[in-house]
């Protein structure tokens, strides 16, 4: 049963059932296997479930597919299939021949079957392995050949890389050589360009030393420009070898060329000057022959001047002919030789050496023109000198401006745009203007009258500087220095004469009896006026004001002129001097002169006031002072001047103290310390600078105010002096009688009778003295506003005095006593005090 079951399991597993060797003993491995299988079969009995599992596994294993690598090759699969079929057939035949009776036999048979099957299977695989080995050998051979090819290819690649590197290096070297070649070519070109400046020395030197080269030739200026380029290059590159030597040689050539040009310019100018001088001599000779054959004297020819050739006078030449010879003929003669040369020089004026050359040429030109024009100008001014000084100043400067304008046009023709301010014509125009200056100065330096000097200043300032120079523009700017110097000299002379005038006519004025006849002069003037004529009223009461419209009548003009006659002469002289100086001198100078004049006039009025007080009365002196100072204040108001002057003085007072200590022996001269007398004198005893600001206008205001206050107090005292004295006594008595019971009316000076007498005196003064004072005030001051200003405080003082007396009467006296005193009531007082 066991054998049958095992056989059945083997069949189900798809394994060949070993043949049974009934009656044949098992040996070797088969015997050992049999014993193992027998022992295993006896000990390990399979369950039904296990047997079913084995059957399932055997069924699955019986259907194993053929390996894919065997089915891919048809030629290989066929032998394997045939071999397998043969083995199966042999196994079937063997199975059929073997009969197994036991498990051991089965195992034994199975072992033999496995050995046979293994032998058959190994043979098949050995064949397959041999075939694979052959294939591997072929592949190895192929791989060896491939490796050899790859080795050769690597060598070829290395050789190609080496060749590429060498080619690249060769290309880089070639490119580097090409770049180096270009750089060397550029360097050679640059070196050649740089060396050509040095090589130009011989060529330029040979051309400059050539006798065929002339300054006016077409090749001279280009050669000069090339020389300038060489000098600029060599100067900008001092690091080159022998650069300083070449620069020195080039500059020598340049200096020689500029000297040649300067000589050429001088020759052309001299030649043109000689032609003009020859033409002038011919014109003078023809004019002389014409004048000898003509009965009309040449002096009748209008605006004809006498030219001088080489400083000698001669017959006159007409102005038009003279201008044609001096300007048109000269320009024609010099233009061909100078125009291009001077233009070439002027085009290079950015270089300092050519700027100096152009300046030298301009000086040569001015010297040449001065030789031609100076004689003509001298004779023309000499001809004008026979006229008055204002005419000479006006016509002389007009003539010089005409000459300057012509010269500026001619100069601008040869040197276009070289002198926009006209300073280059100074060597020409300064000597010509000095001729007129020398003619004017001796005349105005001897003038003493301020009017004439002011007229000269006005002519020079307005007519010459503002009108003529403003109209002609920049063409006459070269005349400004000499013109301003002339104007400054005239103003200096005017300032000196003004100071002398103030000193003589104001400060040192000696008043005569007629000058101090106040109020006689005023009364006389008032009596001379027609009764139907009302005096003009001005701010100061006497002088006509510019702000008041005036009727141009004979009587009014006479009144205005007579108003000036009542001015105090020093005051009139001061204001006259200031009115002439204003606008004729510089503002700072005018400020100083105005301060001196106002201060001197104020002091002179004060001195005259003191004399009038002695001769007439104090009130006349006060009104005189008020009148004159008000006139002075009004007349200086239009002047835009600063009447404040700062004065500086040296104070030596402390030095005197140091010297006193030294002389007294309190300070030693032989002490070697800081206490030495000389050291202290030098360090501490030096003079001190004292600064004092004097404002004459403020001083004038103070004097006017003080004079008005003095007049107000004088009139007040003249009118109510008894009342003021009584009030003073009452105040003193009240202070003394504080502890006494005695009443004021019981005092002797305060009795009703004394009070009535005092009031009567005041009323008499108000009816006589006060109207006289008011009449005198109106006589001195004709302006109603001035009357009101002065009389208002007087009226207030009188009313205040009456009010205080009225208060005392009401407080200290009975009603009957008050009525007996008869104090003027306020309404009557107001009516009485009305002007």
């Amino acid at each position: 049963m066991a054998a049958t079951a095992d056989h059945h399991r083997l069949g189900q597993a798809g394994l060949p059932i070993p043949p049974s060797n009934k009656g044949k003993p098992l040996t070797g491995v088969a015997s050992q296997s049999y014993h193992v299988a027998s022992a295993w079969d006896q000990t390990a009995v399979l369950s039904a479930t296990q047997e079913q599992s084995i059957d399932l596994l055997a069924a699955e294993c019986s259907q194993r597919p053929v390996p894919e690598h065997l089915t891919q090759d048809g030629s290989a699969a066929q032998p394997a299939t045939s071999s397998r079929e043969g083995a199966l057939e042999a196994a079937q035949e063997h199975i059929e021949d073997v009969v197994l009776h036991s498990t051991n036999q089965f195992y034994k048979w199975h072992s033999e079957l496995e050995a046979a099957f293994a032998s058959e299977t190994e043979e098949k695989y050995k064949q397959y392995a041999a075939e694979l080995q052959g294939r591997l050998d072929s592949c190895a051979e192929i791989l060896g050949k491939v490796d050899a090819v790859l080795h050769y290819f690597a060598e070829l690649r290395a050789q190609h890389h080496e060749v590429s590197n060498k080619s690249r290096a060769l290309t880089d070297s070639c490119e580097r050589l090409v770049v180096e070649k270009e750089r060397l070519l550029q360097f050679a070109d640059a070196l050649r360009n740089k060396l050509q400046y040095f090589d130009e020395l011989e060529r330029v030197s040979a051309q400059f030393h050539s006798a065929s080269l002339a300054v006016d030739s077409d090749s001279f200026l280009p050669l000069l420009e090339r020389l300038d380029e060489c000098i600029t290059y060599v100067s900008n590159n001092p690091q080159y070898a022998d650069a300083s030597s070449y620069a020195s040689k080039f500059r020598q050539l340049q200096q020689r060329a500029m000297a040649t040009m300067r000589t050429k310019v001088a020759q052309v100018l001299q030649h043109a000057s000689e032609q003009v001088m020859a033409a002038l001599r011919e014109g003078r000779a023809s004019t002389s022959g014409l004048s000898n054959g003509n009965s009309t004297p040449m002096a009748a020819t209008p605006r004809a001047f006498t030219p001088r050739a080489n400083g000698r006078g001669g017959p006159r030449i007409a102005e038009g002919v003279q201008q044609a010879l001096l300007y048109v003929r000269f320009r024609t003669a010099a233009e061909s030789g100078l125009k291009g040369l001077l233009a070439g020089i002027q085009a290079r004026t950015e270089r300092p050496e050519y700027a100096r050359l152009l300046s030298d040429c301009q000086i040569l030109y001015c010297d040449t023109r001065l030789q031609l024009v100076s004689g003509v100008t001298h004779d023309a001014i000499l001809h004008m000198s026979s006229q008055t000084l204002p005419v000479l100043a006006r016509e002389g400067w007009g003539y010089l401006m005409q000459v300057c304008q012509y010269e500026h046009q001619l100069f601008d023709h040869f040197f276009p745009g070289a002198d926009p301010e006209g300073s280059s014509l100074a060597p020409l125009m300064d000597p010509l203007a000095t001729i007129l200056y020398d003619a004017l100065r001796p005349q105005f330096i001897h003038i003493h009258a301020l009017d004439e000097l002011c007229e000269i200043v006005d002519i020079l300032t307005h007519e010459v500087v503002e009108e003529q120079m403003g109209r002609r523009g920049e063409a006459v700017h070269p005349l400004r220095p000499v013109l301003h110097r002339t104007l400054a000299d005239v103003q200096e002379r005017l300032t000196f004469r003004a100071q002398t005038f103030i000193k003589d006519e104001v400060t040192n004025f000696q008043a005569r009896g007629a000058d101090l006849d106040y109020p006689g002069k005023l009364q006389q003037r008032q009596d001379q006026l027609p009764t139907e004529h009302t005096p003009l009223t001005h701010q100061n009461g006497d002088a006509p004001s510019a702000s008041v419209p005036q009727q141009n009548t004979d009587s009014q003009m006479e009144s205005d002129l007579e108003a000036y006659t009542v001015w105090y002469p020093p005051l009139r002289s001061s204001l006259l001097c200031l009115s002439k100086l204003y606008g004729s001198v510089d503002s700072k100078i005018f400020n100083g002169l105005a301060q001196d004049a106002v201060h001197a006039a104020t002091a002179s009025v004060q001195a005259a006031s003191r004399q009038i007080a002695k001769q007439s009365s104090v009130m006349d002196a006060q009104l005189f002072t008020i009148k004159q100072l008000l006139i002075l204040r009004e007349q200086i108001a239009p002047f835009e001047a600063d009447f404040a002057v700062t004065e500086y003085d040296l104070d030596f007072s402390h030095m005197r103290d140091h010297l006193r200590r030294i002389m007294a022996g309190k300070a030693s001269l032989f002490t070697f310390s800081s206490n030495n007398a000389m050291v202290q004198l030098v360090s501490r005893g030096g003079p001190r600078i004292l600064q004092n600001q004097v404002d004459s206008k403020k001083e004038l205001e103070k004097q006017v105010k003080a004079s008005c206050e003095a007049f107000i107090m004088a009139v007040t005292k003249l009118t109510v002096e008894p009342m003021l004295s009584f009030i003073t006594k009452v105040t003193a008595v009240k202070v003394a009688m504080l502890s006494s019971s005695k009443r004021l009316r019981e005092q002797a000076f305060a009795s009703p009778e004394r009070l009535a007498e005092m009031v009567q005196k005041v009323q008499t003064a108000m009816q006589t003295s006060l109207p006289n004072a008011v009449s005198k005030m109106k006589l001195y001051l004709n302006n109603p506003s001035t009357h009101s200003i002065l009389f208002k405080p007087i009226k207030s003082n009188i009313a205040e005095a009456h009010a205080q007396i009225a208060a005392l009467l009401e407080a200290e006296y009975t009603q009957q006593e008050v009525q007996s005193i008869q104090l003027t009531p306020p309404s009557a007082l107001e009516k009485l005090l009305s002007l």
Side-chain angles (χ1 to χ4, degrees):
M1 285 298 291
T4 304
D6 294 338
H7 188 269
H8 178 70
R9 286 193 296 269
L10 289 173
Q12 288 181 347
L15 296 176
I17 302 173
S20 63
N21 295 329
K22 186 177 178 181
K24 295 181 179 180
L26 297 175
T27 60
V29 177
S31 178
Q32 294 176 358
S33 299
Y34 178 77
H35 289 299
V36 173
S38 178
W40 172 70
D41 189 23
Q42 294 177 1
T43 56
V45 181
L46 299 175
S47 62
T49 305
Q50 292 176 347
E51 289 178 355
Q52 291 179 359
S53 299
I54 292 173
D55 292 338
L56 292 174
L57 291 173
E60 291 297 329
C61 293
S62 63
Q63 298 178 358
R64 290 182 299 175
V66 181
E68 294 180 358
H69 66 279
L70 296 179
T71 59
Q72 291 178 358
D73 192 355
S75 61
Q78 291 178 1
T81 305
S82 62
S83 176
R84 183 178 180 184
E85 292 177 354
L88 291 173
E89 290 177 358
Q92 291 176 358
E93 291 178 356
H94 183 65
I95 292 171
E96 294 177 356
D97 292 340
V98 179
V99 177
L100 300 174
H101 297 282
S102 63
T103 304
N104 292 335
Q105 290 179 355
F106 169 76
Y107 282 115
K108 183 177 179 181
W109 170 83
H110 185 267
S111 298
E112 291 177 356
L113 182 61
E114 285 182 351
F117 187 77
S119 176
E120 292 178 359
T121 304
E122 289 177 359
E123 186 65 25
K124 179 180 63 175
Y125 285 108
K126 286 181 180 178
Q127 291 178 359
Y128 185 71
E131 184 180 356
L132 290 178
Q133 186 65 36
R135 298 285 181 90
L136 289 174
D137 294 340
S138 299
C139 291
E141 184 180 0
I142 291 173
L143 289 174
K145 292 181 180 180
V146 171
D147 291 339
V149 172
L150 291 175
H151 177 69
Y152 292 145
F153 183 73
E155 291 181 355
L156 182 61
R157 180 181 295 172
Q159 292 176 359
H160 178 268
H161 183 68
E162 183 179 359
V163 171
S164 297
N165 292 336
K166 290 182 179 180
S167 300
R168 190 178 299 107
L170 180 61
T171 302
D172 294 341
S173 300
C174 293
E175 292 177 355
R176 187 168 57 254
L177 291 175
V178 170
V179 173
E180 186 70 18
K181 177 183 177 182
E182 293 178 355
R183 188 181 66 81
L184 291 176
L185 289 176
Q186 293 177 359
F187 177 76
D189 293 339
L191 184 62
R192 190 179 300 107
N193 293 332
K194 295 177 180 179
L195 290 177
Q196 68 179 354
Y197 292 102
F198 295 90
D199 297 338
E200 287 288 337
L201 178 62
E202 296 182 0
R203 187 180 69 84
V204 174
S205 178
Q207 291 185 3
F208 271 115
H209 288 86
S210 177
S212 60
L213 182 64
V215 177
D216 52 356
S217 63
D218 297 336
S219 60
F220 182 80
L221 291 179
L223 185 62
L224 187 63
E225 183 178 0
R226 183 59 180 169
L227 178 60
D228 296 336
E229 294 176 356
C230 295
I231 291 175
T232 302
Y233 182 81
V234 174
S235 300
N236 294 335
N237 298 276
Q239 69 276 10
Y240 295 159
D242 298 333
S244 59
S245 176
Y246 276 90
S248 177
K249 294 177 181 179
F250 279 129
R251 292 191 183 281
Q252 289 178 1
L253 292 176
Q254 186 187 50
Q255 292 176 2
R256 180 173 181 179
M258 289 192 295
T260 305
M261 290 188 290
R262 189 182 297 107
T263 304
K264 177 65 176 179
V265 171
Q267 290 176 356
V268 173
L269 291 174
Q270 186 64 28
H271 179 68
S273 177
E274 291 176 355
Q275 290 185 7
V276 174
M277 293 298 292
L280 287 174
R281 285 192 294 268
E282 292 178 1
R284 190 173 62 188
S286 62
T287 304
S288 177
L290 182 61
S291 62
N292 291 333
N294 193 353
S295 60
T296 303
M298 285 192 63
T301 303
R303 296 189 61 82
F305 304 109
T306 305
R308 296 191 308 169
N310 298 328
R312 298 186 301 271
R316 296 180 183 178
I317 300 177
E319 183 179 4
V321 177
Q322 176 181 280
Q323 293 178 0
L325 293 176
L326 289 176
Y327 299 102
V328 181
R329 184 67 176 271
F330 183 85
R331 184 178 66 181
T332 304
E335 184 173 9
S336 59
L338 290 182
K339 190 67 174 177
L341 182 60
L342 293 178
I345 297 174
Q346 191 171 351
R348 297 172 173 81
T349 52
E350 68 275 0
R351 299 174 178 270
E353 56 271 12
Y354 285 100
R356 290 193 295 269
L357 177 61
L358 181 64
S359 178
D360 294 342
C361 294
Q362 291 174 353
I363 292 175
L364 289 173
Y365 171 85
C366 292
D367 292 341
T368 303
R369 292 297 305 169
L370 183 62
Q371 295 177 3
L372 292 174
V373 183
S374 60
V376 177
T377 304
H378 182 274
D379 291 339
I381 294 176
L382 183 63
H383 177 72
M384 298 176 190
S385 299
S386 59
Q387 303 177 9
T388 60
L389 182 59
V391 176
L392 174 61
R394 185 182 296 107
E395 295 186 357
W397 284 111
Y399 172 77
L400 282 181
M401 287 185 183
Q402 184 180 5
V403 172
C404 185
Q405 189 173 9
Y406 290 153
E407 292 295 336
H408 184 272
Q409 293 175 359
L410 185 62
F411 182 86
D412 191 64
H413 177 76
F414 289 104
F415 304 95
D419 186 27
E421 297 182 357
S423 58
S424 298
L425 276 176
L428 170 61
M429 298 311 301
D430 283 350
L432 297 180
T434 305
I435 297 175
L436 179 59
Y437 176 80
D438 294 338
L440 291 173
R441 182 175 174 80
Q443 297 190 37
F444 68 72
I445 205 68
H446 292 91
I447 296 178
H448 297 280
L450 296 178
D451 293 334
E452 297 181 12
L453 292 173
C454 291
E455 182 182 2
I456 300 299
V457 171
D458 183 72
I459 291 173
L460 295 178
T461 303
H462 297 91
E463 297 185 17
V464 178
V465 176
E466 295 180 1
E467 295 181 6
Q468 296 187 20
M469 295 194 76
R471 184 175 65 254
R472 299 178 187 270
E474 297 180 355
V476 294
H477 278 186
L479 294 175
R480 282 186 176 273
V482 181
L483 177 57
H484 288 167
R485 184 176 64 179
T486 305
L487 179 60
D489 290 349
V490 177
Q491 290 177 338
E492 182 180 2
R493 176 64 180 176
L494 177 60
T495 303
F496 171 74
R497 290 304 308 163
Q499 292 175 341
T500 305
F501 180 83
I502 294 173
K503 182 179 179 181
D504 295 341
E505 300 296 331
V506 181
T507 305
N508 298 331
F509 178 77
Q510 298 295 330
R512 295 172 295 181
D515 299 328
L516 301 176
D517 187 15
Y518 288 91
K521 294 177 66 174
L522 300 175
Q523 188 65 43
Q524 182 180 0
R525 173 176 174 271
Q526 187 177 9
D527 294 340
Q528 291 176 355
L529 292 177
T531 56
E532 70 274 8
H533 175 68
T534 302
L536 293 175
T537 301
H538 307 290
Q539 183 175 350
N540 61 9
D542 298 289
S545 175
S547 60
V548 180
Q550 304 291 331
Q551 297 179 356
N552 192 10
T553 60
D554 295 339
S555 60
Q556 182 175 347
M557 293 178 62
E558 291 178 0
S559 176
D560 293 340
L561 292 177
E562 290 176 356
Y564 292 110
T565 59
V566 298
W567 291 7
Y568 188 54
L571 174 66
R572 184 171 59 248
S573 300
S574 298
L575 295 176
L576 181 63
C577 178
L578 292 180
S579 63
K580 294 177 180 178
L581 292 177
Y582 189 70
S584 298
V585 295
D586 186 70
S587 59
K588 293 183 179 179
I589 298 176
F590 180 79
N591 292 340
L593 293 175
Q595 194 274 337
D596 293 340
V598 172
H599 179 73
T602 305
S604 181
V605 169
Q606 293 291 338
S609 176
R610 290 190 291 269
Q611 296 183 14
I612 293 174
K614 297 178 181 179
Q615 295 180 5
S616 298
S617 65
V618 176
M619 184 177 295
D620 288 321
Q622 293 171 347
L623 290 174
F624 169 81
T625 304
I626 294 172
K627 176 184 179 63
Q628 303 299 329
L629 294 184
L630 286 177
I631 293 172
L632 180 60
R633 186 181 68 176
E634 177 192 357
Q635 295 299 319
I636 66 174
F639 296 128
E640 297 179 358
D642 185 9
F643 292 88
V645 177
T646 303
E647 298 179 352
Y648 296 92
D649 297 327
L650 294 178
D651 182 17
F652 295 93
S653 59
H654 58 289
M655 182 181 291
R656 180 179 55 191
D657 297 336
H658 283 283
L659 293 176
R660 186 182 297 109
R661 292 179 67 251
I662 293 173
M663 297 302 296
K666 296 181 180 180
S668 176
L669 296 173
F670 305 100
T671 301
F672 295 97
S673 64
S674 59
N675 295 327
N676 185 277
M678 294 304 298
V679 174
Q680 291 185 355
L681 180 63
V682 173
S683 61
R684 303 178 183 177
R688 301 173 183 173
I689 299 177
L690 299 180
Q691 182 177 348
N692 183 26
Q693 187 174 13
V694 179
D695 193 339
S696 58
K697 194 171 185 179
K698 291 183 178 180
E699 294 295 330
L700 174 61
E701 294 291 343
K702 292 180 181 179
Q703 294 293 337
V704 171
K705 183 178 180 181
S707 300
C708 292
E709 291 177 352
F711 173 75
I712 292 170
M713 291 305 300
V715 175
T716 301
K717 289 182 179 181
L718 180 65
T719 306
V720 293
E721 175 64 23
M723 288 185 177
L724 297 177
S725 300
F726 177 76
I727 293 171
T728 303
K729 291 179 182 181
V730 168
T731 304
V733 168
K734 284 185 176 182
V735 173
M737 295 176 59
L738 291 176
S739 58
S740 177
S741 60
K742 190 175 181 180
R743 300 185 63 181
L744 178 63
R745 58 190 300 273
E746 298 176 359
Q747 299 291 332
F749 72 92
S751 62
E753 294 79 8
R754 299 289 299 272
L755 280 177
E757 182 180 356
M758 177 193 67
V759 170
Q760 185 63 32
K761 290 181 180 180
V762 171
Q763 291 176 353
T764 303
M766 291 177 62
Q767 294 176 358
T768 57
S769 300
L770 182 60
N772 293 335
V774 172
S775 300
K776 186 171 292 188
M777 179 182 66
K778 292 182 178 181
L779 178 64
Y780 278 89
L781 306 172
N782 296 330
N783 192 347
S785 62
T786 307
H787 303 162
S788 177
I789 292 173
L790 288 177
F791 193 71
K792 184 176 181 180
I794 297 174
K795 181 179 178 180
S796 176
N797 292 338
I798 295 173
E800 181 67 21
H802 279 75
Q804 293 183 9
I805 296 298
L808 287 174
L809 292 177
E810 184 178 358
E812 300 291 341
Y813 297 89
T814 63
Q815 187 65 27
Q816 295 179 354
E817 292 174 342
V818 171
Q819 293 179 357
S820 64
I821 293 174
Q822 297 182 356
L823 182 66
T824 305
S827 58
L829 182 64
E830 180 69 22
K831 184 178 179 180
L832 185 62
L833 293 178
S834 61
L835 289 176

